[in-house]
């Protein structure tokens, strides 16, 4: 292997080589079973005598770090010597900005629960993976490897997205208005970069999307929670000097209620008067089970104050990291600069494959199939909640998306904790949104297998009954 050894520092050359290799083993840069270069080769690379390297190897072997195999070479030992531990990283006086120290710690990724009712996870088994492989393979056989891409995204995909949202959601946009992103979260980040100054006020639905709240905080914004009711965000509660309003009007996160037309009109009027931007996150509106969806804010906007954010993470697969942003044209130039400075562009070939997936009608076919499946799961869970949890949980009416909410008059935090330990993956509203939030659970039905829904809810019911 090609391993770098620095000869800087104290001690003779053999001691320095010994120390470098020992530290690499302890730090994990050289792993158990890896083969080291022959002494002659490493000596030539370091411009030292072969005997100098051999002395270092002999010391490491005597200390138990290396083992020799006759006729094969020298290898890192399968087990470290007793009492040896990996080195901890050196301390540093460097500290991040204070806001990063106030954010909650990242949750480690664990194993998937047996009964997976977590929110926002689509059923990967519904995704036409063979078709996707065919489209992606065709793009990988083509050209475009040697150049940087357009920060706005693949031209064909931008045109396909504009056609798709124009037909399915009445969004008014052409290809030049679309900026392809690495999911909705990057779209929010780009808007913050070009619009917010530290201390600017951002209004959000309460309860609302926790990851958006944390992102706005990381940009130094002052977050103001605005209550929601059966018609959506209460526009009359928006404070003065608000620079940005983040809403999920098609399927309020997490409660699931849509914003009424009267509230949409009021919000647009308020934004025009206040000179504020409204971010419309249309995160899973494709999965609609009844009722015709209301017009998006973007299609009603005549003042250029709405940024429309969409994502394919829930309609296709989260791992693809594909989304899009349709912003007011006054922000387009700054957004393109921000995208180029952040990560320049996304995966050209995945974007090209998605363009074909959209243009060939494969996406629409997938959505129809997935919607039928999710509608059945939604109905099944709702029925069981009414039958088995009547005294414990009250489902919030919803007609779209990948999850539903159920409110409770009892503290559900310990219930959810015990359920998760018992193999039922559920999330509380407070866990999804932060405080304040009503007491209740959010039940996703994208990841749970249909045949496991009843058994999973039966386990949840036992946890409730056990107190």
């Amino acid at each position: 292997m090609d391993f770098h050894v620095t000869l800087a520092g104290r001690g003779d050359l053999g001691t320095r080589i010994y120390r470098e290799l020992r530290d690499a083993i302890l730090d994990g840069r050289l792993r158990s079973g890896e083969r080291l270069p022959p002494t002659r080769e490493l000596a030539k690379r370091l411009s030292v005598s072969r005997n100098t390297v051999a002395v270092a190897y002999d010391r490491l072997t005597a200390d138990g770090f290396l083992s020799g195999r006759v006729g094969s070479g020298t290898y890192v030992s399968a087990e470290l010597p007793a009492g040896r531990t990996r080195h901890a990283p050196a301390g540093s006086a460097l500290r991040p900005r204070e806001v990063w120290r106030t954010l909650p710690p990242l949750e480690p990724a664990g194993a998937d629960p047996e009964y997976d009712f977590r929110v926002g996870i689509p059923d990967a088994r519904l995704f036409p993976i063979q078709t996707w492989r065919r489209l992606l393979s065709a793009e990988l056989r083509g050209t475009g490897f040697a150049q940087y891409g357009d920060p706005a995204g693949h031209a064909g995909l931008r045109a396909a997205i504009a056609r798709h949202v124009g037909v399915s959601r009445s969004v008014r946009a052409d290809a030049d208005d679309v900026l392809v992103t690495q999911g909705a979260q990057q779209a929010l980040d780009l808007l913050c970069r070009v619009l917010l100054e530290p201390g600017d006020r951002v209004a959000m639905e309460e309860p609302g999307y926790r990851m958006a709240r944390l992102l706005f905080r990381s940009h130094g914004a002052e977050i103001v929670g605005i209550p929601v009711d059966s018609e959506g965000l209460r526009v009359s509660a928006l404070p003065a000097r608000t620079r940005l309003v983040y809403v999920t009007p098609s399927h309020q996160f997490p409660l699931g209620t849509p914003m009424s037309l009267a509230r949409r009109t009021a919000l647009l009027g308020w934004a025009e008067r206040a000179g504020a931007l409204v971010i419309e996150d249309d995160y899973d509106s494709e999965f609609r089970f009844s009722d015709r969806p209301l017009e998006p804010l973007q299609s009603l906007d005549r003042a250029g104050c709405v940024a429309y954010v969409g994502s394919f993470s829930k309609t296709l697969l989260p791992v693809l990291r594909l989304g899009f942003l349709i912003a007011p044209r006054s922000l387009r130039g700054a957004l393109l600069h921000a995208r180029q400075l952040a990560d320049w562009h996304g995966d050209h070939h995945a974007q090209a494959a998605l363009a074909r997936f959209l243009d060939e009608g494969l996406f629409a076919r997938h959505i129809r199939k997935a919607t039928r499946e999710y509608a059945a799961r939604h109905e099944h869970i709702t029925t069981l909640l009414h039958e088995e949890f009547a005294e414990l949980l009250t489902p919030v009416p919803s007609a779209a998306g990948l999850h539903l909410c159920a409110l409770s008059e009892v503290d559900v935090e310990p219930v959810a904790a015990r359920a998760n330990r018992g193999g039922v993956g559920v999330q509380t509203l407070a866990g999804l949104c932060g405080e304040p939030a009503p007491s209740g659970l959010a039940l996703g039905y994208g990841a749970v297998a249909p045949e496991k829904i009843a058994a999973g809810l039966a386990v949840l019911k036992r946890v409730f009954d056990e107190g």
Side-chain angles (χ1 to χ4, degrees), residues 39 78 130 133 171 255 300 325 356 367 465:
T39 54
Q130 297 301 328
R133 283 191 180 126
V171 169
L255 299 179
L300 299 172
L325 167 63
R356 292 183 58 191
I367 291 298
D465 291 342

Side-chain angles (χ1 to χ4, degrees), residues 45 50 126 180 354 388 458:
R45 192 185 308 165
R50 182 183 179 187
L126 299 178
V180 181
L354 180 55
E388 306 294 336

Side-chain angles (χ1 to χ4, degrees), residues 94-235:
L94 295 175
R95 295 291 182 271
R97 287 191 297 121
E98 185 61 28
V99 65
W100 293 104
R101 301 176 64 183
T102 65
L103 298 181
L106 294 176
E107 298 178 4
D112 293 340
E114 182 178 1
Y115 306 104
D116 196 348
F117 293 98
R118 292 175 298 172
V119 170
I121 306 175
D123 191 340
R125 295 169 299 180
L126 299 178
F127 182 67
I129 189 65
Q130 297 301 328
T131 300
W132 180 257
R133 283 191 180 126
R134 172 178 60 81
L135 296 174
L136 188 57
S137 295
E139 296 300 330
L140 289 170
R141 288 194 296 270
T143 59
F145 290 95
Q147 300 180 19
Y148 289 103
D150 187 338
H154 183 274
L157 179 56
R158 289 188 282 119
I161 289 173
R163 287 191 295 271
H164 166 67
V165 296
V167 171
S168 66
R169 299 292 287 123
S170 299
V171 169
R172 297 177 295 106
D174 57 32
D176 289 339
D177 295 314
V178 177
L179 193 161
V180 181
T181 63
Q182 306 267 49
Q185 199 73 6
Q186 186 182 49
L188 301 182
D189 185 63
L190 292 174
L191 288 167
C192 289
R193 287 172 180 268
V194 305
L195 201 68
L196 292 183
E197 299 282 356
D200 278 351
R201 181 171 292 167
V202 173
M204 289 189 61
E205 298 161 323
E206 192 171 272
Y209 184 38
R210 179 171 175 263
M211 293 298 288
R213 180 186 299 271
L214 295 177
L215 176 65
F216 298 141
R217 274 181 56 191
S218 75
H219 282 275
E222 174 196 350
I223 311 299
V224 180
I226 308 299
V228 297
D229 56 26
S230 60
E231 291 191 74
L233 180 125
R234 290 171 50 189
V235 178

